[in-house]
Amino acid sequence: MEIQSRSARCCFNRTHLISQTVRFDGCKHVVGVEILHSALLLSSSSYSGSACLLSGVTLLLGTMSEHIQLSIALCRIGFYTCLQKLCCKAPPPPRPEYDVVCIGLSGAGKTSLLSRLCNEISDGTVPTTGFSIKAVPFENVILNVKELGGAETIKKYWSRYYQGSQGVVFVLNSATSDEEMELSRSELLSAMQHPQLCTLPFLILANHQDSPAARSVSEIQKYLELQPLARGKRWILAGSTTNNMKAVKESFSQLIRLLEEKEVLPSRI
């Protein structure tokens, strides 16, 4: 009798401990503990309660396993959510675009410069007949450059393509003859005085600076008489060559800064 009493007390203590440990897990655990408690009491007086004891333990372990799986699933969801926020950033905002018209006499090198700016192969470039449009990408903006052909049969139609322009790129051949240089000066002056272009910023590129016969930028500025003719306008005069595209990009960056400015600034070189 004393042995059975000790066994019953031991079973009661184990049952009480298990009940205190798993009470917070909800109704299913309480049911499992109750079955386990009954089974332990039966097993204390007889071995016939072993099957009931096994059922209680199985139910208790099953409900605990469900909670563990649920916790793992929640952890996975939280991990993937944090990973998505860290790695999958929103796409960058679209870059602003400016419409620019590019003019100059035939052979000035307009097409070659624009092709190199777009990382296109410029070998075997043919003169532009009519016009072409290139989207020239820069770090913060995109320039939609409308290049107009410089042949005599096309120049008279230039003004038809000025509408909507926000800036002007004028390309001239710095190694050309005095006669063609005078013609370039006349076309530049005409563009600067045109009602649709007179308030726009100008980028004037003295191209082919790598030619032995090329005039310097200061000589071209004097020859074009830019100081008196372009007074009060926004303009940039810079040398250019396809062998130094870094300098060409810097000149276009200066034009972009003029496009972004709201106030009219003094003329600059």
Side-chain angles (χ1 to χ4, degrees), residues 103-202:
I103 55 179
L105 300 184
S106 183
K110 304 183 295 295
T111 305
S112 298
L113 287 175
L114 295 177
S115 297
R116 290 293 302 274
L117 283 173
C118 295
N119 297 320
E120 298 175 357
I121 299 175
S122 59
D123 294 338
T125 303
V126 296
T128 302
T129 56
F131 73 95
S132 66
I133 299 177
K134 292 183 182 294
V136 185
F138 289 89
E139 184 177 358
N140 298 320
V141 302
I142 295 176
L143 293 184
N144 297 315
V145 183
K146 185 189 299 178
E147 179 197 349
L148 306 182
E152 287 292 333
T153 56
I154 302 173
K155 282 192 304 178
K156 57 184 178 182
Y157 300 111
W158 279 0
S159 59
R160 297 186 180 184
Y161 300 94
Y162 289 165
Q163 187 174 3
S165 299
Q166 297 170 280
V168 182
V169 177
F170 190 94
V171 183
L172 58 89
N173 185 358
S174 59
T176 191
S177 64
D178 292 342
E179 182 181 355
E180 285 200 1
M181 184 63 71
E182 180 60 30
L183 187 55
S184 294
R185 176 182 176 276
S186 175
E187 294 295 345
L188 176 60
L189 178 61
S190 176
M192 284 186 162
Q193 293 177 342
H194 194 278
Q196 292 179 316
L197 304 181
C198 61
T199 60
L200 304 183
F202 274 71

Side-chain angles (χ1 to χ4, degrees), residues 8-250:
R9 285 199 300 272
C10 180
C11 290
F12 175 77
N13 290 336
R14 283 185 296 170
T15 305
H16 179 70
L17 178 61
I18 295 173
S19 176
Q20 292 296 324
T21 303
V22 300
R23 187 176 299 277
F24 65 92
D25 283 338
C27 297
K28 290 186 178 181
H29 286 191
V30 172
V31 173
V33 171
E34 293 298 332
I35 295 175
L36 181 60
H37 178 263
S38 301
L40 288 173
L41 289 178
L42 288 173
S43 64
S44 65
S45 58
S46 173
Y47 292 103
S48 62
S50 59
C52 187
L53 174 62
L54 181 61
S55 298
V57 171
T58 302
L59 178 59
L60 180 61
L61 294 178
T63 54
M64 292 178 66
S65 176
E66 290 178 5
H67 281 268
I68 292 173
Q69 292 177 359
L70 179 61
S71 300
I72 293 174
L74 291 174
C75 289
R76 285 179 178 176
I77 292 172
F79 174 75
Y80 288 136
T81 302
C82 294
L83 188 63
Q84 185 178 16
K85 289 183 178 179
L86 290 174
C87 299
C88 304
K89 297 181 180 180
R95 289 178 285 181
E97 300 184 14
Y98 296 99
D99 295 327
V100 176
V101 64
C102 180
I103 55 179
L105 300 184
S106 183
K110 304 183 295 295
T111 305
S112 298
L113 287 175
L114 295 177
S115 297
R116 290 293 302 274
L117 283 173
C118 295
N119 297 320
E120 298 175 357
I121 299 175
S122 59
D123 294 338
T125 303
V126 296
T128 302
T129 56
F131 73 95
S132 66
I133 299 177
K134 292 183 182 294
V136 185
F138 289 89
E139 184 177 358
N140 298 320
V141 302
I142 295 176
L143 293 184
N144 297 315
V145 183
K146 185 189 299 178
E147 179 197 349
L148 306 182
E152 287 292 333
T153 56
I154 302 173
K155 282 192 304 178
K156 57 184 178 182
Y157 300 111
W158 279 0
S159 59
R160 297 186 180 184
Y161 300 94
Y162 289 165
Q163 187 174 3
S165 299
Q166 297 170 280
V168 182
V169 177
F170 190 94
V171 183
L172 58 89
N173 185 358
S174 59
T176 191
S177 64
D178 292 342
E179 182 181 355
E180 285 200 1
M181 184 63 71
E182 180 60 30
L183 187 55
S184 294
R185 176 182 176 276
S186 175
E187 294 295 345
L188 176 60
L189 178 61
S190 176
M192 284 186 162
Q193 293 177 342
H194 194 278
Q196 292 179 316
L197 304 181
C198 61
T199 60
L200 304 183
F202 274 71
L203 170 60
I204 306 164
L205 293 177
N207 202 22
H208 301 306
Q209 283 291 305
D210 54 342
S211 173
R215 299 170 178 85
S216 66
V217 174
S218 59
E219 288 175 339
I220 291 175
Q221 180 182 344
K222 236 181 242 189
Y223 193 92
L224 297 177
E225 299 179 334
L226 285 175
Q227 289 294 352
L229 295 179
R231 185 178 290 112
K233 301 182 183 297
R234 294 176 293 167
W235 54 272
I236 303 162
L237 174 62
S240 63
T241 170
T242 53
N243 294 328
N244 187 3
M245 291 307 298
K246 183 178 180 181
V248 175
K249 290 179 180 179
E250 176 58 31

